[in-house]
Amino acid sequence: MADCMKMQQRDSSNNSMSAYLLDHDEINGSNQHQYSTIQETGEERKKEQKSCFARCWERCCACLNPPKQYLPRVVFLGRPSKTVRYPPNRIRNQKYSVFSFVFLVLFEQFKLFLNFCFLVMALSQFVPPLRIGYLYTYWGPLGFVVFVTMVREAVDDFRRWRRDRELNGTVYERLARGGSKLVPSSVLQVGDVIRVNKNERVPADLVLLRTSEKQGTCYLRTDQLDGETDWKLRVAPPTTQRLSSDEELLSVGASVYAERPGLDIHSFIGTLSLSGPETPDSGSAAVAGDQASLSVENTLWTNTVVASNWAVGVVVYTGAETRAAMNSTPPRSKFGLVDREINNVTKLLVASVLLLSMLMVALKGFGGQWYKYYWRFLLLFSYIIPLALRVNLDMAKITYSFLIMRDDKLEGNIVRNTTIPEELGRISYLLSDKTGTLTENEMVFKKLHLGTIAFTDEPDSHAEVRDHVRASVAEGGGSGKQSQQQQQSTAGSSITRQGADLAGRTAEAVRAIALCHNVTPVYEDGDCETAESAGGSSGGISRGGYGEPSYQASSPDEVALVSWTASVGLTLAHRDQSSMRLRADNGTELNYTVLHLFPFSSESKRMGIIVRDDRTGEIVFYAKGADTVIGAVVQPVDWLEEEVGNLAREGLRTLLVARRVLRPDFYEDWNRKYEQARLAMENRSERVQQVQQLLDNGLELLCVTGVEDRLQTGVRPTLETLRNAGVRVWMLTGDKLETACCIAKSSRLVDKSSGLYVFEPASGRSADLDKEIRIMARRVEAGQGVVITGQYLQAAVEQDERRFIQLACQAPAVVVCRCSPTQKAEVVRLLKEHTGKRCAAVGDGGNDVAMIQAADCGLGIVGKEGKQASLAADFSIMRFQHVARLLLVHGRQCYKNTAILAQFIVHRGLIISTMQAVFSAVFFYVAISLFPGILMIGYATVFTMFPVFSLVLDKDVADSTAEKFPELYRDLLKGRELSAKVFFIWTAISLYQGGIIMYGSLWLFEGSFLHVVSIAFTAVVLTELIMVALTIRTWCWQMVLAEFLSLTCYVTAMFVLTEYFDRAFLLTLDFLWKVLAITSVSSIPFFLLKFVRYQMSPPIARKLQA
């Protein structure tokens, strides 16, 4: 009874705690999704434009289907809740079920206008007065299209089901009071305590409780969650790590308070509470009332992989409430410009069918039941509407995607979106990231600046730094010794050009760089080194002796800096959660205790660490970060701004390193405040940040570092090629203005003769912005590129959005620096909205995902930062130089061949409908089909489909020519391949050929009407095959095979289908010469006109071939 009362009290307190924290979580949730002012203004404008009816409709929908409310929760270890229902931990990526498959696929197909029209027409054949021929005439083609779609959807959904079954059936060890039990991941519930072994996927969102390591550390691979390839360090709370066994977790009365489910994978707020062991004399190490704050470093998110031994955790979120599931929103469905143009053509064809049917009824007369004749004519002319167009285009896109991935010169590329390959041929703007996209993202240390002297990567300078470090280690000069000297000599003043000893300053700067980071050494066996000393102060490193380690970190900058300190004689030999060991050249080891670590974040743009020197006991706080952040908090120095600018102009990425020696009493007081802030239930993040800011008082600047991010191979020729192709390249980066300008010049983003104009108004006031925009207009007119920061971009857009974007689009190149991920996506939106042109975006990091998904065509580079951009992109490539071939060769070919394929499919329907119209008009507007249904089905499939579809393999120029002459791509941007002029030309060709074939067949008519059908149908099939042959510019064996196969199928059908062909007549010379004469008259003029046009006004591709 006492236990029950205690549990009820605990539940009551936890429920009140949840209610108390709900408002706080809502505030945090709203703060996680900040939009730019531009977006907020746009949303407000849209809301104002909504009608009263629209607002009422939205409210009704919200009442019927209210959004799910997520609440905080209290999870008791090993005791899943029986009252609160949480989502099942079952992964289900299937679109359909066994019962819904047929209905949903049919709904998806017939909600399309084209398919719905054919469905209505096919259904009308069940009405006897409206029937024309056999049912299969209309149900056959429609059934084929639907069947192909259903097979494709079934195969895709079956593959998803197999993947889901494999993941849901993965077995994990669940701890229970009666012993552990193996259970599949699909039955896990909130509150279950499970063990995840090395290289196993984490099945649900867990709070880490215990690990195999003494320190409670655990390493995760998170590439399937955030795309980053580095290992992440996670730590178990000390209160549970120190327990003697895993089973004891279930008997200490532990509970976890977890914030409500959210999207942010980089933050978590929770608290671990222990009420004490259920059996007082159990000898447990748990103490009643113990509490530990929980953050993201205590979590294991779903789809991450444990990389080191095993880990035990409690399930806090399952199924749809996990971080991975909540972030797996479906990407924006992209609809290509070619698809829109073809849709417009289809609507025009539908209108022409309606008008032609009405014309035939009008000529026949509106007497009697004229509406029946109207519907019958509508059915007869329905072949004008290309039902097979969508299937052919989908198959063509799959073929294009296959050819792109088979390109040996684009090794490693992957087409992730097969619906828009032809969009690569219509790109007018390419928005590119800088770091890792134009540059290698392989950082190389270049310069260390101390104010009075700078050390470079030259051998002499390198040796000088090494001598300073060796001398400092030999003298036992740690940070404490130098700090005392400085305090005595400078009375706490900062390190300036006049000050402390150069050798000591250099050694202290190197030591700070070697300590202030989040780098982990990795040795040959692949495990993160946990090196225990073999004995004494100079003990060896386990499993590796003094072998050189490699380094694992989320930032290439940190790896470059730590590698440099190793090269000058101070190697990071060991790193775990609580300690760090540096090794000097002479074998001396410097041991430090890590007291606190403040990781880098995109918001703070800095990191920090508090360490204690095990030899001297001195406590030092080191900080490292961007010049705009660290420069604002360090003690003033006169050389900082100048030297940072100089390094940026050299194209180097700069970081400032600073430190502060902490007195023991100050640290104790600060640590107490920090722990209180971490345990706070309200505004925890803000309170923790305020306490951290107390460390910034009195920071001394030690040095400025400069690392170089080299340009990728082939960037300069690629940018020049794209510029000649008519593609305008914009560079969007979060880096400093000086560095962005330097990279823009070195990469030849702008011509050598063109300069760069920096858009920098005197203030953000309207008058200053208007004045700067006028100056920008003059500079752009003079041919200069534009450089602007994200802050001024937002201000300029708010000032005059249309005018500013129009001016920017006229510039040869635009560089936007200090640009946030949200602003990158906003730039894409502005370009698409104001220019109407197709935009592509290319990037390599998680901060480029928003831009990539917002673009018409997203290109993701598999970079050093991981695969997040690559996985989110439509096309994944390995290097930036592949962009040129992807656009100029494959994009151009996809677009041109798609246009030709669409034209031929429309031509195929128009020519047969023209023949039907002539036949009906000659025979007094009779609503009878000219050709039997079986022949019409064969005409649309085996008789002509293979040659027409083989046009997707055609090439007007060789790949090398397309790359050598980028002007060929510029010609495509005019959009002439599917223009109204081209459509009407093909319509005229169809009318001419259909009329000639039908009138010629009737003119040469003798004897049986069956002979007319034989001559006319044979002539139209041969005309179609000849037209394809005349259009092909580069023959390949697949095209020859397609022509031969179609001709063979038709000839075979002529002698097999004796109901529709007179076999005796087919073997006569009379049949042969009539067919050849009609086919020649219908095809030869087309050939002659094409020949004359090529001679008088040859296309640019023909000139290049000549």
Side-chain angles (χ1 to χ4, degrees), residues 108-139:
E108 290 293 329
Q109 285 301 301
F110 292 122
K111 75 177 184 180
L112 300 175
F113 175 74
L114 195 62
N115 290 356
F116 180 75
C117 289
F118 268 88
L119 176 63
V120 174
M121 293 177 185
L123 289 173
S124 69
Q125 295 304 286
F126 291 105
V127 181
L130 303 179
R131 181 178 300 172
I132 299 178
Y134 295 101
L135 290 177
Y136 63 76
T137 304
Y138 290 90
W139 282 102

mmCIF file of all heavy atoms in Angstrom, residues 108-139:
data_model
loop_
_atom_site.group_PDB
_atom_site.id
_atom_site.type_symbol
_atom_site.label_atom_id
_atom_site.label_comp_id
_atom_site.label_asym_id
_atom_site.label_seq_id
_atom_site.Cartn_x
_atom_site.Cartn_y
_atom_site.Cartn_z
ATOM 1 N N GLU A 108 -5.204 7.344 -57.706
ATOM 2 C CA GLU A 108 -4.077 8.177 -58.113
ATOM 3 C C GLU A 108 -3.998 8.310 -59.628
ATOM 4 O O GLU A 108 -3.611 9.358 -60.149
ATOM 5 C CB GLU A 108 -2.771 7.583 -57.572
ATOM 6 C CG GLU A 108 -2.609 7.688 -56.076
ATOM 7 C CD GLU A 108 -2.460 9.117 -55.605
ATOM 8 O OE1 GLU A 108 -1.907 9.932 -56.368
ATOM 9 O OE2 GLU A 108 -2.904 9.426 -54.495
ATOM 10 N N GLN A 109 -4.378 7.243 -60.349
ATOM 11 C CA GLN A 109 -4.307 7.283 -61.803
ATOM 12 C C GLN A 109 -5.435 8.109 -62.403
ATOM 13 O O GLN A 109 -5.212 8.927 -63.301
ATOM 14 C CB GLN A 109 -4.339 5.858 -62.365
ATOM 15 C CG GLN A 109 -3.043 5.106 -62.187
ATOM 16 C CD GLN A 109 -1.890 5.811 -62.869
ATOM 17 O OE1 GLN A 109 -1.882 6.042 -64.072
ATOM 18 N NE2 GLN A 109 -0.897 6.184 -62.075
ATOM 19 N N PHE A 110 -6.636 7.909 -61.906
ATOM 20 C CA PHE A 110 -7.779 8.542 -62.554
ATOM 21 C C PHE A 110 -8.091 9.924 -62.012
ATOM 22 O O PHE A 110 -9.053 10.561 -62.460
ATOM 23 C CB PHE A 110 -9.002 7.632 -62.443
ATOM 24 C CG PHE A 110 -8.864 6.371 -63.242
ATOM 25 C CD1 PHE A 110 -8.956 5.132 -62.621
ATOM 26 C CD2 PHE A 110 -8.603 6.417 -64.596
ATOM 27 C CE1 PHE A 110 -8.810 3.970 -63.354
ATOM 28 C CE2 PHE A 110 -8.452 5.259 -65.334
ATOM 29 C CZ PHE A 110 -8.553 4.027 -64.720
ATOM 30 N N LYS A 111 -7.301 10.392 -61.050
ATOM 31 C CA LYS A 111 -7.449 11.797 -60.683
ATOM 32 C C LYS A 111 -6.700 12.689 -61.675
ATOM 33 O O LYS A 111 -6.901 13.896 -61.685
ATOM 34 C CB LYS A 111 -6.959 12.039 -59.265
ATOM 35 C CG LYS A 111 -5.457 12.041 -59.098
ATOM 36 C CD LYS A 111 -5.078 12.353 -57.661
ATOM 37 C CE LYS A 111 -3.571 12.446 -57.490
ATOM 38 N NZ LYS A 111 -3.188 12.754 -56.097
ATOM 39 N N LEU A 112 -5.864 12.065 -62.528
ATOM 40 C CA LEU A 112 -5.224 12.792 -63.614
ATOM 41 C C LEU A 112 -6.254 13.028 -64.720
ATOM 42 O O LEU A 112 -6.997 12.122 -65.109
ATOM 43 C CB LEU A 112 -4.030 12.002 -64.159
ATOM 44 C CG LEU A 112 -2.914 11.699 -63.154
ATOM 45 C CD1 LEU A 112 -1.861 10.799 -63.794
ATOM 46 C CD2 LEU A 112 -2.277 12.985 -62.657
ATOM 47 N N PHE A 113 -6.265 14.223 -65.250
ATOM 48 C CA PHE A 113 -7.287 14.620 -66.213
ATOM 49 C C PHE A 113 -7.271 13.724 -67.453
ATOM 50 O O PHE A 113 -8.326 13.282 -67.937
ATOM 51 C CB PHE A 113 -7.077 16.088 -66.604
ATOM 52 C CG PHE A 113 -7.997 16.560 -67.680
ATOM 53 C CD1 PHE A 113 -9.337 16.798 -67.414
ATOM 54 C CD2 PHE A 113 -7.531 16.757 -68.972
ATOM 55 C CE1 PHE A 113 -10.194 17.229 -68.406
ATOM 56 C CE2 PHE A 113 -8.396 17.191 -69.973
ATOM 57 C CZ PHE A 113 -9.730 17.428 -69.690
ATOM 58 N N LEU A 114 -6.085 13.435 -67.959
ATOM 59 C CA LEU A 114 -5.965 12.652 -69.184
ATOM 60 C C LEU A 114 -6.531 11.246 -69.001
ATOM 61 O O LEU A 114 -7.323 10.763 -69.817
ATOM 62 C CB LEU A 114 -4.496 12.590 -69.601
ATOM 63 C CG LEU A 114 -4.203 12.119 -71.023
ATOM 64 C CD1 LEU A 114 -4.820 13.068 -72.031
ATOM 65 C CD2 LEU A 114 -2.695 12.027 -71.239
ATOM 66 N N ASN A 115 -6.132 10.595 -67.924
ATOM 67 C CA ASN A 115 -6.615 9.243 -67.674
ATOM 68 C C ASN A 115 -8.119 9.217 -67.384
ATOM 69 O O ASN A 115 -8.823 8.280 -67.762
ATOM 70 C CB ASN A 115 -5.852 8.620 -66.509
ATOM 71 C CG ASN A 115 -4.404 8.321 -66.864
ATOM 72 O OD1 ASN A 115 -3.995 8.507 -68.005
ATOM 73 N ND2 ASN A 115 -3.631 7.873 -65.897
ATOM 74 N N PHE A 116 -8.579 10.256 -66.701
ATOM 75 C CA PHE A 116 -10.010 10.310 -66.391
ATOM 76 C C PHE A 116 -10.838 10.443 -67.673
ATOM 77 O O PHE A 116 -11.911 9.830 -67.799
ATOM 78 C CB PHE A 116 -10.300 11.475 -65.450
ATOM 79 C CG PHE A 116 -11.741 11.605 -65.073
ATOM 80 C CD1 PHE A 116 -12.316 10.725 -64.168
ATOM 81 C CD2 PHE A 116 -12.534 12.599 -65.637
ATOM 82 C CE1 PHE A 116 -13.661 10.836 -63.825
ATOM 83 C CE2 PHE A 116 -13.871 12.713 -65.298
ATOM 84 C CZ PHE A 116 -14.440 11.832 -64.391
ATOM 85 N N CYS A 117 -10.352 11.227 -68.615
ATOM 86 C CA CYS A 117 -11.056 11.367 -69.896
ATOM 87 C C CYS A 117 -11.181 10.020 -70.595
ATOM 88 O O CYS A 117 -12.255 9.656 -71.110
ATOM 89 C CB CYS A 117 -10.323 12.366 -70.791
ATOM 90 S SG CYS A 117 -10.443 14.083 -70.254
ATOM 91 N N PHE A 118 -10.095 9.267 -70.629
ATOM 92 C CA PHE A 118 -10.130 7.960 -71.283
ATOM 93 C C PHE A 118 -10.998 6.975 -70.515
ATOM 94 O O PHE A 118 -11.617 6.087 -71.114
ATOM 95 C CB PHE A 118 -8.713 7.414 -71.436
ATOM 96 C CG PHE A 118 -8.088 7.784 -72.747
ATOM 97 C CD1 PHE A 118 -7.391 8.959 -72.888
ATOM 98 C CD2 PHE A 118 -8.219 6.949 -73.849
ATOM 99 C CE1 PHE A 118 -6.827 9.309 -74.101
ATOM 100 C CE2 PHE A 118 -7.666 7.295 -75.063
ATOM 101 C CZ PHE A 118 -6.960 8.482 -75.198
ATOM 102 N N LEU A 119 -11.050 7.106 -69.194
ATOM 103 C CA LEU A 119 -11.922 6.233 -68.415
ATOM 104 C C LEU A 119 -13.379 6.483 -68.773
ATOM 105 O O LEU A 119 -14.167 5.534 -68.960
ATOM 106 C CB LEU A 119 -11.697 6.470 -66.920
ATOM 107 C CG LEU A 119 -12.609 5.684 -65.971
ATOM 108 C CD1 LEU A 119 -12.365 4.183 -66.123
ATOM 109 C CD2 LEU A 119 -12.393 6.123 -64.529
ATOM 110 N N VAL A 120 -13.752 7.745 -68.888
ATOM 111 C CA VAL A 120 -15.128 8.076 -69.262
ATOM 112 C C VAL A 120 -15.449 7.536 -70.650
ATOM 113 O O VAL A 120 -16.532 6.972 -70.902
ATOM 114 C CB VAL A 120 -15.345 9.596 -69.190
ATOM 115 C CG1 VAL A 120 -16.726 9.965 -69.729
ATOM 116 C CG2 VAL A 120 -15.188 10.083 -67.760
ATOM 117 N N MET A 121 -14.500 7.686 -71.565
ATOM 118 C CA MET A 121 -14.715 7.183 -72.915
ATOM 119 C C MET A 121 -14.850 5.660 -72.928
ATOM 120 O O MET A 121 -15.688 5.097 -73.644
ATOM 121 C CB MET A 121 -13.558 7.610 -73.818
ATOM 122 C CG MET A 121 -13.480 9.094 -74.064
ATOM 123 S SD MET A 121 -12.042 9.537 -75.081
ATOM 124 C CE MET A 121 -12.157 11.319 -75.057
ATOM 125 N N ALA A 122 -13.989 4.981 -72.150
ATOM 126 C CA ALA A 122 -14.056 3.524 -72.100
ATOM 127 C C ALA A 122 -15.372 3.055 -71.479
ATOM 128 O O ALA A 122 -15.973 2.074 -71.935
ATOM 129 C CB ALA A 122 -12.867 2.982 -71.316
ATOM 130 N N LEU A 123 -15.831 3.753 -70.435
ATOM 131 C CA LEU A 123 -17.095 3.371 -69.794
ATOM 132 C C LEU A 123 -18.279 3.577 -70.743
ATOM 133 O O LEU A 123 -19.277 2.841 -70.676
ATOM 134 C CB LEU A 123 -17.297 4.183 -68.518
ATOM 135 C CG LEU A 123 -16.376 3.850 -67.338
ATOM 136 C CD1 LEU A 123 -16.583 4.841 -66.209
ATOM 137 C CD2 LEU A 123 -16.626 2.426 -66.840
ATOM 138 N N SER A 124 -18.164 4.563 -71.618
ATOM 139 C CA SER A 124 -19.260 4.815 -72.563
ATOM 140 C C SER A 124 -19.466 3.663 -73.536
ATOM 141 O O SER A 124 -20.536 3.553 -74.151
ATOM 142 C CB SER A 124 -19.001 6.110 -73.326
ATOM 143 O OG SER A 124 -17.900 5.944 -74.219
ATOM 144 N N GLN A 125 -18.477 2.806 -73.691
ATOM 145 C CA GLN A 125 -18.606 1.683 -74.608
ATOM 146 C C GLN A 125 -19.535 0.607 -74.083
ATOM 147 O O GLN A 125 -19.884 -0.334 -74.820
ATOM 148 C CB GLN A 125 -17.226 1.098 -74.900
ATOM 149 C CG GLN A 125 -16.297 2.036 -75.641
ATOM 150 C CD GLN A 125 -16.912 2.520 -76.938
ATOM 151 O OE1 GLN A 125 -17.001 1.794 -77.926
ATOM 152 N NE2 GLN A 125 -17.372 3.767 -76.938
ATOM 153 N N PHE A 126 -19.937 0.695 -72.826
ATOM 154 C CA PHE A 126 -20.935 -0.227 -72.296
ATOM 155 C C PHE A 126 -22.355 0.210 -72.664
ATOM 156 O O PHE A 126 -23.312 -0.516 -72.414
ATOM 157 C CB PHE A 126 -20.804 -0.337 -70.773
ATOM 158 C CG PHE A 126 -19.552 -1.043 -70.335
ATOM 159 C CD1 PHE A 126 -18.485 -0.334 -69.798
ATOM 160 C CD2 PHE A 126 -19.436 -2.419 -70.470
ATOM 161 C CE1 PHE A 126 -17.340 -0.991 -69.398
ATOM 162 C CE2 PHE A 126 -18.293 -3.078 -70.066
ATOM 163 C CZ PHE A 126 -17.234 -2.358 -69.522
ATOM 164 N N VAL A 127 -22.483 1.406 -73.232
ATOM 165 C CA VAL A 127 -23.786 1.897 -73.688
ATOM 166 C C VAL A 127 -23.924 1.551 -75.166
ATOM 167 O O VAL A 127 -23.159 2.086 -75.994
ATOM 168 C CB VAL A 127 -23.904 3.413 -73.463
ATOM 169 C CG1 VAL A 127 -25.286 3.912 -73.913
ATOM 170 C CG2 VAL A 127 -23.665 3.764 -72.011
ATOM 171 N N PRO A 128 -24.811 0.665 -75.556
ATOM 172 C CA PRO A 128 -24.893 0.188 -76.952
ATOM 173 C C PRO A 128 -24.977 1.295 -78.001
ATOM 174 O O PRO A 128 -24.269 1.225 -79.016
ATOM 175 C CB PRO A 128 -26.152 -0.699 -76.939
ATOM 176 C CG PRO A 128 -26.252 -1.184 -75.521
ATOM 177 C CD PRO A 128 -25.783 -0.031 -74.672
ATOM 178 N N PRO A 129 -25.767 2.355 -77.801
ATOM 179 C CA PRO A 129 -25.825 3.381 -78.862
ATOM 180 C C PRO A 129 -24.498 4.125 -79.064
ATOM 181 O O PRO A 129 -24.289 4.725 -80.122
ATOM 182 C CB PRO A 129 -26.925 4.335 -78.366
ATOM 183 C CG PRO A 129 -27.741 3.539 -77.413
ATOM 184 C CD PRO A 129 -26.770 2.623 -76.747
ATOM 185 N N LEU A 130 -23.637 4.111 -78.051
ATOM 186 C CA LEU A 130 -22.379 4.854 -78.146
ATOM 187 C C LEU A 130 -21.198 3.956 -78.495
ATOM 188 O O LEU A 130 -20.085 4.459 -78.661
ATOM 189 C CB LEU A 130 -22.087 5.562 -76.812
ATOM 190 C CG LEU A 130 -23.171 6.524 -76.302
ATOM 191 C CD1 LEU A 130 -22.746 7.122 -74.970
ATOM 192 C CD2 LEU A 130 -23.430 7.627 -77.318
ATOM 193 N N ARG A 131 -21.440 2.662 -78.608
ATOM 194 C CA ARG A 131 -20.339 1.721 -78.797
ATOM 195 C C ARG A 131 -19.785 1.836 -80.212
ATOM 196 O O ARG A 131 -20.528 1.932 -81.184
ATOM 197 C CB ARG A 131 -20.796 0.298 -78.515
ATOM 198 C CG ARG A 131 -19.683 -0.738 -78.658
ATOM 199 C CD ARG A 131 -20.185 -2.115 -78.315
ATOM 200 N NE ARG A 131 -20.666 -2.167 -76.932
ATOM 201 C CZ ARG A 131 -21.305 -3.214 -76.420
ATOM 202 N NH1 ARG A 131 -21.584 -4.271 -77.172
ATOM 203 N NH2 ARG A 131 -21.698 -3.188 -75.153
ATOM 204 N N ILE A 132 -18.451 1.822 -80.290
ATOM 205 C CA ILE A 132 -17.747 1.818 -81.570
ATOM 206 C C ILE A 132 -16.761 0.669 -81.546
ATOM 207 O O ILE A 132 -15.742 0.729 -80.862
ATOM 208 C CB ILE A 132 -17.009 3.145 -81.813
ATOM 209 C CG1 ILE A 132 -18.007 4.295 -81.859
ATOM 210 C CG2 ILE A 132 -16.207 3.102 -83.092
ATOM 211 C CD1 ILE A 132 -17.372 5.646 -82.041
ATOM 212 N N GLY A 133 -17.020 -0.373 -82.250
ATOM 213 C CA GLY A 133 -16.108 -1.506 -82.286
ATOM 214 C C GLY A 133 -16.187 -2.317 -81.008
ATOM 215 O O GLY A 133 -17.167 -2.306 -80.266
ATOM 216 N N TYR A 134 -15.084 -3.019 -80.738
ATOM 217 C CA TYR A 134 -15.027 -3.899 -79.583
ATOM 218 C C TYR A 134 -14.574 -3.121 -78.340
ATOM 219 O O TYR A 134 -13.953 -2.064 -78.436
ATOM 220 C CB TYR A 134 -14.063 -5.060 -79.846
ATOM 221 C CG TYR A 134 -14.530 -5.969 -80.952
ATOM 222 C CD1 TYR A 134 -13.990 -5.863 -82.236
ATOM 223 C CD2 TYR A 134 -15.514 -6.929 -80.720
ATOM 224 C CE1 TYR A 134 -14.419 -6.687 -83.259
ATOM 225 C CE2 TYR A 134 -15.946 -7.767 -81.743
ATOM 226 C CZ TYR A 134 -15.400 -7.642 -83.007
ATOM 227 O OH TYR A 134 -15.829 -8.463 -84.007
ATOM 228 N N LEU A 135 -14.879 -3.709 -77.183
ATOM 229 C CA LEU A 135 -14.530 -3.043 -75.930
ATOM 230 C C LEU A 135 -13.028 -2.889 -75.754
ATOM 231 O O LEU A 135 -12.550 -1.906 -75.182
ATOM 232 C CB LEU A 135 -15.119 -3.822 -74.742
ATOM 233 C CG LEU A 135 -16.640 -3.776 -74.575
ATOM 234 C CD1 LEU A 135 -17.060 -4.665 -73.410
ATOM 235 C CD2 LEU A 135 -17.117 -2.356 -74.342
ATOM 236 N N TYR A 136 -12.268 -3.879 -76.234
ATOM 237 C CA TYR A 136 -10.823 -3.821 -76.015
ATOM 238 C C TYR A 136 -10.169 -2.658 -76.759
ATOM 239 O O TYR A 136 -9.018 -2.313 -76.507
ATOM 240 C CB TYR A 136 -10.164 -5.139 -76.404
ATOM 241 C CG TYR A 136 -10.296 -5.515 -77.871
ATOM 242 C CD1 TYR A 136 -9.527 -4.893 -78.861
ATOM 243 C CD2 TYR A 136 -11.176 -6.519 -78.273
ATOM 244 C CE1 TYR A 136 -9.644 -5.245 -80.186
ATOM 245 C CE2 TYR A 136 -11.300 -6.877 -79.590
ATOM 246 C CZ TYR A 136 -10.540 -6.237 -80.562
ATOM 247 O OH TYR A 136 -10.652 -6.583 -81.878
ATOM 248 N N THR A 137 -10.892 -2.061 -77.707
ATOM 249 C CA THR A 137 -10.318 -0.935 -78.440
ATOM 250 C C THR A 137 -9.947 0.205 -77.497
ATOM 251 O O THR A 137 -8.916 0.865 -77.680
ATOM 252 C CB THR A 137 -11.319 -0.431 -79.495
ATOM 253 O OG1 THR A 137 -11.685 -1.515 -80.354
ATOM 254 C CG2 THR A 137 -10.703 0.696 -80.314
ATOM 255 N N TYR A 138 -10.773 0.432 -76.476
ATOM 256 C CA TYR A 138 -10.500 1.513 -75.536
ATOM 257 C C TYR A 138 -9.996 0.989 -74.200
ATOM 258 O O TYR A 138 -9.170 1.617 -73.549
ATOM 259 C CB TYR A 138 -11.761 2.357 -75.329
ATOM 260 C CG TYR A 138 -12.115 3.167 -76.557
ATOM 261 C CD1 TYR A 138 -12.962 2.642 -77.530
ATOM 262 C CD2 TYR A 138 -11.575 4.428 -76.750
ATOM 263 C CE1 TYR A 138 -13.277 3.376 -78.663
ATOM 264 C CE2 TYR A 138 -11.879 5.168 -77.877
ATOM 265 C CZ TYR A 138 -12.735 4.635 -78.844
ATOM 266 O OH TYR A 138 -13.031 5.359 -79.964
ATOM 267 N N TRP A 139 -10.539 -0.171 -73.804
ATOM 268 C CA TRP A 139 -10.105 -0.711 -72.519
ATOM 269 C C TRP A 139 -8.703 -1.301 -72.606
ATOM 270 O O TRP A 139 -7.991 -1.348 -71.595
ATOM 271 C CB TRP A 139 -11.089 -1.783 -72.035
ATOM 272 C CG TRP A 139 -12.321 -1.198 -71.454
ATOM 273 C CD1 TRP A 139 -13.548 -1.097 -72.043
ATOM 274 C CD2 TRP A 139 -12.455 -0.598 -70.162
ATOM 275 N NE1 TRP A 139 -14.448 -0.476 -71.216
ATOM 276 C CE2 TRP A 139 -13.805 -0.165 -70.046
ATOM 277 C CE3 TRP A 139 -11.591 -0.377 -69.106
ATOM 278 C CZ2 TRP A 139 -14.291 0.467 -68.909
ATOM 279 C CZ3 TRP A 139 -12.080 0.247 -67.967
ATOM 280 C CH2 TRP A 139 -13.402 0.670 -67.863
#
